Amino acid sequence: RFHGEGYQEGYAEGSHVGVVEGRRYGSLHGAKIGSEIGSYLGFALTWQCLLQNCTDEKNSKKIRALDSLIGMIQKFPYEDPTYDKLQEDLEKIRGKFKQVCSVLNIQSDFRIGTERPSLTF
C-alpha cells in the first residue's frame, strides 16, 4: 500500500515539475525565436524603405529578395507551437536572411546570449 501511495505522490509531483519546467523552457526558446524573427523583419522592412525609390535592375533584385524574406516571415506560424515544420521554416528564413545580406553586400552576425547580446551589421 505504501509503495503504491509513494508512487502516486511521486508521479504527481514529477508531472507538476515537468509542466513547470516545460513552460519555462518553451517561453525562453519562444522568446529567442521571436527576437530573431523580429530582428530579421525589422532589418528587411528598413532596407525595403531605403530601396523603394531605386528602380534600376540591380536594386530590383535586392527588393525582390527583401519581399521574399518579408513574405516568409509574415507566413511564419507564431501562434502554433505544434506546427510540425517550425524548425524547417525557421531554417529557410535564416537562409533567406543570409541570401539577402549577401545581395545587399552586408556581413551579418546574429547572436542571442550573454556573451554578445546584439545584432550587428
Side-chain angles (χ1 to χ4, degrees), residues 63-102:
I63 292 170
R64 282 194 310 271
L66 286 165
D67 289 342
S68 177
L69 176 61
I70 292 168
M72 290 172 76
I73 292 171
Q74 289 173 340
K75 291 176 186 172
F76 191 75
Y78 301 103
E79 301 295 323
D80 185 9
T82 62
Y83 179 62
D84 59 340
K85 294 185 179 181
L86 187 108
Q87 289 297 323
E88 184 179 317
D89 286 354
L90 186 57
E91 288 301 319
K92 287 179 184 178
I93 290 172
R94 288 174 178 150
K96 181 57 80 171
F97 175 72
K98 289 178 184 177
Q99 178 190 12
V100 167
C101 287
S102 176

Side-chain angles (χ1 to χ4, degrees), residues 5-81:
E5 288 176 7
Y7 174 81
Q8 292 299 327
E9 288 175 16
Y11 185 83
E13 179 67 23
S15 294
H16 175 70
V17 170
V19 167
V20 170
E21 185 177 330
R23 184 174 293 131
R24 186 177 9 177
Y25 181 83
S27 296
L28 175 67
H29 289 282
K32 285 181 181 180
I33 290 172
S35 176
E36 181 181 358
I37 296 293
S39 296
Y40 294 160
L41 182 59
F43 170 85
L45 291 173
T46 300
W47 272 99
Q48 188 181 47
C49 288
L50 291 171
L51 295 173
Q52 70 184 357
N53 294 330
C54 303
T55 57
D56 60 342
E57 181 62 33
K58 192 174 184 180
N59 287 320
S60 69
K61 183 178 179 182
K62 295 175 184 178
I63 292 170
R64 282 194 310 271
L66 286 165
D67 289 342
S68 177
L69 176 61
I70 292 168
M72 290 172 76
I73 292 171
Q74 289 173 340
K75 291 176 186 172
F76 191 75
Y78 301 103
E79 301 295 323
D80 185 9

Side-chain angles (χ1 to χ4, degrees), residues 105-120:
N105 199 23
I106 296 172
Q107 202 170 38
S108 69
D109 183 18
F110 186 82
R111 292 189 184 129
I112 296 177
T114 56
E115 65 183 56
R116 200 166 106 183
S118 64
L119 176 63
T120 58

